[in-house]
Amino acid sequence: QGGTSAGKTLAILAVLIDIAAKKKTEISVVSESIPHLRRGALKDFLKMLNMTGLYQEELYNRTLLRYDFPHGSYIEFFSADSEARLRGARRQILYINEANNIDFDSYYQLAIRTSQEIYIDFNPTHEFWAHTEVLPEQDAELVILTYNDNEALPDTIKRDIELNRTKAETSAYWA
């Protein structure tokens, strides 16, 4: 859970890339829509692969939005807007990006087809199924991040966030 610029997506993607690079693993990254994935998690994923020197053009299937690692791992990206995709293939690891934008039934259909780990990230805008259905489970863990936890955040963005927090003390809009 974390607010704007907390680095949630980048942190989880870094963990997933590390796992996929080390051992054969099937990983699904899911969000509310393909445009949302393309602008967010997929864009960040490809940027991270390029920055680390792991990206190989021939391993990326742009049609399927799937990156195959040389030893058999893959990370695929798809949206939660199609029930057929949710009830489809199984995986070892699932990551739901901005989980507060999908409904609980979609989460459940993905979760029951995931054999190892599930990561979700979300903005703390309101309580939803993660708080009421997932976090009460014994094997669930909550990590709360803020923009202060993001070491790569440019100072200009940090100042803007802090300025808005100051405005919130006197403005209903910013509050």
Side-chain angles (χ1 to χ4, degrees), residues 11-75:
I12 294 171
L13 288 173
V15 169
L16 298 180
I17 290 169
D18 185 59
I19 291 169
K22 289 181 176 172
K23 64 179 181 177
K24 187 175 179 183
T25 310
E26 299 167 331
I27 300 172
S28 299
V29 178
V30 180
S31 191
E32 65 187 87
S33 68
I34 294 298
H36 187 266
L37 281 168
R38 287 187 192 277
R39 288 189 314 268
L42 179 60
K43 181 180 176 183
D44 290 341
F45 171 76
L46 295 172
K47 188 184 300 185
M48 290 173 78
L49 285 181
N50 276 304
M51 289 173 52
T52 58
L54 292 173
Y55 183 77
Q56 297 176 44
E57 181 67 34
E58 66 275 10
L59 299 178
Y60 179 47
N61 184 321
R62 293 179 185 279
T63 303
L64 297 177
L65 303 180
R66 176 175 154 151
Y67 189 84
D68 289 282
F69 289 76
H71 63 284
S73 287
Y74 68 81
I75 299 180

Side-chain angles (χ1 to χ4, degrees), residues 25 28 47 58 64 72 77 79 87 94 112 114 138 168 174:
T25 310
S28 299
K47 188 184 300 185
E58 66 275 10
L64 297 177
F77 294 78
S79 67
R87 297 180 189 275
L94 170 66
I112 61 171
T114 303
Q138 283 190 337
W174 292 106

Side-chain angles (χ1 to χ4, degrees), residues 6 10-11 17 34-35 48 51 54 59 67 71-72 80 82 98 103 108-109 123-124 138 144 148 151 160 164 168-169:
L10 293 174
I17 290 169
I34 294 298
M48 290 173 78
M51 289 173 52
L54 292 173
L59 299 178
Y67 189 84
H71 63 284
S82 167
E98 297 198 18
D103 61 33
Y108 178 72
Q109 293 304 322
N123 293 309
Q138 283 190 337
I144 298 175
N148 287 315
E151 296 174 3
D160 285 344
N164 293 341
E169 295 171 11

Side-chain angles (χ1 to χ4, degrees), residues 80-129:
D81 60 4
S82 167
E83 188 174 323
R85 277 191 288 263
L86 302 179
R87 297 180 189 275
R90 298 182 181 277
R91 70 204 56 83
Q92 279 96 31
I93 299 175
L94 170 66
Y95 167 35
I96 302 178
N97 177 238
E98 297 198 18
N100 49 322
N101 293 332
I102 71 167
D103 61 33
F104 179 71
D105 188 53
S106 296
Y107 162 79
Y108 178 72
Q109 293 304 322
L110 292 162
I112 61 171
R113 291 167 176 81
T114 303
S115 63
Q116 293 176 13
E117 300 171 1
I118 299 173
Y119 299 83
I120 64 172
D121 74 18
F122 54 91
N123 293 309
T125 55
H126 63 283
E127 187 175 277
F128 72 113
W129 56 261

